[in-house]
Amino acid sequence: MKRVTTIVVGAGQCGLAMSHALRRRSVDHLVLERGRIANSWRSERWDSLRLLTPNWMNGLAGRPYRGPDPDGFMACGEFADRLARAAALDGAPVLQETRVLALDPLGGGYRVQTDQGAIACDSVVIASGECALPRIPGLAGDLPPGVLQLTPQSYKRPADVPEAGVLVVGAGASGLQIARELALAGRRVTLAVGNHLRLPRRYRGADILWWMDRLGVLDLPPSGEDELDRLRRAPSLPLLGDASHADIDLNSLQDLGIEIVGRLAGLTEGKAWFSGSLANACASADLKLARLLDRIDAHADGAGIDAPPAYRLPATRIPEAPRLMLRLGAGGIGTVVWATGYRPDHRWVTLPVFDGKGRIRHAGGVVGEGIYVLGLRHLRSARSTHIAGAPRDARVLARHLTGRLGGRAAA
Amino acid sequence: MNIQTEVKTADNGVDVEALYEIKKALTDMPPAAQFTWRASCEWLGGVHSKSTVEGFFGAGAEQSHKTPYSVEADHPGVFAAPDNAATPVEIVLSALASCLTGGVAAVAQHRGIQLHSVKAQVEGDMNLHGILGIDADVRNGFSAIRVTFEVEADASKDEIAAVIAQSQKRSAVFDIVTNPGNVKVALA
């Protein structure tokens, strides 16, 4: 059996950042990738998607962004090319088209079973991505046949969506963007909105993420287990990466003719039923945004930042009586887009490292003896799922990993 | 750190520390979180009835209130009834207000906000063409429910609004009222 010190599973920004960190520490390793480098960025996102973080936030390991457009938003394909180029220049030891099937203890280390054979190793870094599979609610099984079901992975472009009405379920970044794109293409779109966040793209002359970066909110440690759990379940940043710097809050979507309704609560008798809690979901998002803007204003004024004056956004507009029911099928909704989140695909991690909800247990990315995980939400901070967060986390975990190797050598 | 000291200073009569312990225990032991609530109702003549609650199941065992409690229901004169008690729909509105009010107290306590008074006004609109079977397109239940809170507390308006918002997110009755659920009625 082939043998290597460390196996990194996944050649996206996290796996490649770990490879970079391991190379700097001269740890002999292999990066296994089920498809091509940056596979999910290439083939599992919709055509128009751009990164939500401006280019200045999208540095790769050892390669901060130095291009001509720091405030621009890179297309996913362009980002994938960038990752692949960096990997090639660095000579990252990536085995493409190699799918990992199982992970078993072997001696003091592990055996990684792949569709290309088994490899023995001392440590494993799980970097197969937080957004590997769409998270679809169980009630999807109650959809009548004949209604097309899409996810942010299978949806590619408006032309593939039939002319009938579209129900987009979920008001995170994916749902908001797909709803907007479909409405702009002339589709009749209803957006089911549960708990969500609201952010303007720009505030007081700068990108909202520039302010959040300045404020340090992306680096704040959680106050305890409860808050950490809440942060790991929090909705994604509701932003659009577009040269227009357009907002995609619910007001701007309603301006495009999108109807907003409450959380999808049930599918029965060929009808979709929505919760009557829309007003509270929107009020909560507005209040949370107001708290962030208060902090930004206090910071801007305290630090003497020369910015345009403070202002507040109008409250989210709620229909007088939000719709509670929609007919599915002929004459009604022809397509449902499940923008209800993603989940990692850790089925190949055949080790007892999961909690009752099937999530990998870890402390800041350390799963257990010689097992590490990267790229999960709030792994170490809010930045853990940002492009430039990958090298930060990878450096820390690589240090832990080599410390362990040193300890073993000494023993 | 501020949060810790604030929690100590507010006292709304809600033992959040005990609630936190309960939450932890139920997290570690999911079956203990399965509760079944019960009420038994008896016809008293006309449209007057009396419901009594006493036992319930939870924390893995049969439990009971320290004494049985009763709620009567009837209908007012405009329904040609003797008006012995509140209508069932008013009891639903009361349950919603009580659930949200309890939630406000608990969330405020958790956030270290001292409450001085909490009052909720609840209104539910209903078109009787539904229950009277005059118009099949009109639902029996409320077409709209409005809850208005008046809260005096040592907190800003936005902080109080956030407490009320969180109370809705964690309210059982709010969920029951805003979302569909399956109900099975059988003849014993």
Side-chain angles (χ1 to χ4, degrees):
Chain A
M1 191 167 27
K2 198 157 149 180
R3 194 176 172 88
V4 66
T5 303
T6 300
I7 284 184
V8 179
V9 181
Q13 71 268 18
C14 287
L16 293 173
M18 182 50 100
S19 174
H20 189 268
L22 292 175
R23 259 192 330 280
R24 292 179 68 134
R25 291 176 173 272
S26 306
V27 177
D28 129 73
H29 68 281
L30 277 175
V31 182
L32 308 183
E33 167 57 53
R34 73 197 151 126
R36 294 159 63 203
I37 286 175
N39 198 64
S40 52
W41 289 111
R42 285 185 201 285
S43 58
E44 296 178 353
R45 301 293 179 261
W46 61 95
D47 293 353
S48 69
L49 179 63
R50 290 176 170 270
L51 300 187
L52 309 186
T53 41
N55 289 333
W56 62 266
M57 282 183 86
N58 300 333
L60 304 181
R63 289 190 162 73
Y65 179 83
R66 293 225 175 81
D69 187 15
D71 295 320
F73 303 96
M74 215 176 287
C76 286
E78 194 185 336
F79 176 64
D81 289 345
R82 233 177 126 231
L83 272 177
R85 249 192 335 267
L89 287 170
D90 288 350
V94 181
L95 286 185
Q96 301 191 77
E97 308 294 342
T98 304
R99 182 179 286 273
V100 177
L101 305 171
L103 172 60
D104 305 299
L106 177 72
Y110 298 93
R111 179 179 54 205
V112 175
Q113 190 66 51
T114 81
D115 59 0
Q116 309 294 318
I119 310 171
C121 63
D122 178 79
S123 44
V124 176
V125 179
I126 301 164
S128 52
E130 165 81 38
C131 299
L133 298 171
R135 189 189 292 275
I136 299 175
L139 55 77
D142 300 331
L143 261 189
V147 176
L148 176 66
Q149 299 190 54
L150 295 171
T151 69
Q153 287 189 339
S154 58
Y155 167 78
K156 295 297 168 196
R157 59 196 74 83
D160 298 344
V161 176
E163 291 287 340
V166 183
L167 172 63
V168 177
V169 184
S174 299
L176 293 167
Q177 291 186 49
I178 291 171
R180 177 178 187 268
E181 175 165 285
L182 289 170
L184 287 172
R187 296 295 183 284
R188 187 160 44 81
V189 179
T190 306
L191 179 65
V193 178
N195 287 335
H196 63 281
L197 297 175
R198 182 184 185 194
L199 287 177
R201 180 75 257 184
R202 295 179 68 80
Y203 180 64
R204 294 185 69 178
D207 194 278
I208 193 73
L209 291 174
W210 183 85
W211 287 111
M212 290 168 76
D213 183 70
R214 282 285 305 221
L215 271 180
V217 293
L218 301 174
D219 303 301
L220 283 181
S223 64
E225 279 298 311
D226 271 15
E227 198 196 357
L228 183 59
D229 187 53
R230 189 176 57 72
L231 289 169
R232 285 181 176 159
R233 287 183 292 116
S236 56
L237 294 182
L239 293 169
L240 170 70
D242 186 84
S244 68
H245 301 283
D247 283 338
I248 46 163
D249 64 12
L250 297 177
N251 283 351
S252 63
L253 293 193
Q254 289 182 91
D255 290 341
L256 297 175
I258 292 172
E259 180 178 7
I260 61 169
V261 296
R263 191 177 64 83
L264 179 64
L267 295 167
T268 56
E269 299 161 11
K271 294 167 190 159
W273 300 88
F274 305 104
S275 171
S277 60
L278 177 65
N280 189 48
C282 295
S284 297
D286 284 357
L287 284 163
K288 194 158 197 172
L289 171 61
R291 290 197 291 274
L292 175 66
L293 298 186
D294 284 348
R295 292 177 69 176
I296 290 175
D297 292 340
H299 174 78
D301 300 343
I305 294 173
D306 182 25
Y311 59 93
R312 287 292 171 268
L313 280 80
T316 301
R317 297 192 309 272
I318 318 279
E320 178 56 34
R323 178 195 289 277
L324 297 172
M325 185 272 282
L326 256 183
R327 243 167 254 290
L328 301 164
I333 293 298
T335 307
V336 172
V337 182
W338 298 109
T340 34
Y342 302 86
R343 59 194 172 92
D345 184 358
H346 289 153
R347 287 172 294 189
W348 56 273
V349 183
T350 45
L351 293 172
V353 293
F354 296 93
D355 69 12
K357 300 274 267 180
R359 297 170 299 201
I360 283 194
R361 283 185 217 271
H362 67 89
V366 180
V367 178
E369 276 298 301
I371 303 277
Y372 301 87
V373 64
L374 270 173
L376 300 185
R377 297 174 70 180
H378 246 281
L379 185 91
R380 301 187 62 83
S381 76
R383 294 189 196 267
S384 292
T385 37
H386 293 181
I387 304 299
R392 286 176 175 231
D393 288 359
R395 279 195 298 272
V396 178
L397 294 183
R399 191 184 321 134
H400 188 286
L401 188 151
T402 39
R404 177 175 180 274
L405 294 176
R408 280 165 66 92
Chain B
M1 285 147 281
N2 284 334
I3 294 163
Q4 291 296 331
T5 42
E6 280 167 22
V7 166
K8 298 276 192 296
T9 56
D11 182 7
N12 300 323
V14 181
D15 190 346
V16 286
E17 275 159 34
L19 285 175
Y20 188 76
E21 288 305 312
I22 293 169
K23 180 180 171 179
K24 251 177 58 187
L26 295 187
T27 306
D28 298 340
M29 246 206 311
Q34 293 298 327
F35 273 60
T36 300
W37 299 100
R38 305 185 194 109
S40 57
C41 182
E42 194 171 6
W43 180 50
L44 299 178
V47 290
H48 186 197
S49 64
K50 180 176 170 180
S51 295
T52 304
V53 299
E54 185 174 13
F56 58 93
F57 180 86
E62 273 304 316
Q63 313 277 349
S64 78
H65 285 284
K66 61 186 182 199
T67 171
Y69 295 106
S70 292
V71 186
E72 289 186 28
D74 197 7
H75 286 75
V78 291
F79 287 77
D83 204 8
N84 288 308
T87 61
V89 296
E90 289 166 321
I91 295 170
V92 170
L93 293 181
S94 307
L96 175 61
S98 293
C99 197
L100 292 176
T101 300
V104 164
V107 174
Q109 181 75 56
H110 185 60
R111 296 186 179 181
I113 295 174
Q114 179 65 53
L115 298 173
H116 300 296
S117 79
V118 181
K119 285 180 187 152
Q121 298 295 330
V122 199
E123 288 184 338
D125 299 335
M126 185 182 287
N127 181 346
L128 291 194
H129 281 196
I131 54 174
L132 294 176
I134 297 169
D135 185 344
D137 293 332
V138 174
R139 70 183 285 182
N140 297 345
F142 295 115
S143 56
I145 295 175
R146 292 173 297 280
V147 184
T148 309
F149 270 100
E150 271 180 69
V151 177
E152 279 179 52
D154 298 337
S156 72
K157 196 170 179 208
D158 271 5
E159 284 169 336
I160 295 171
V163 168
I164 293 169
Q166 183 62 20
S167 158
Q168 291 167 74
K169 285 191 185 172
R170 289 280 161 268
S171 164
V173 181
F174 183 86
D175 173 72
I176 291 164
V177 170
T178 54
N179 292 311
N182 289 315
V183 181
K184 205 165 150 185
V185 180
L187 178 61

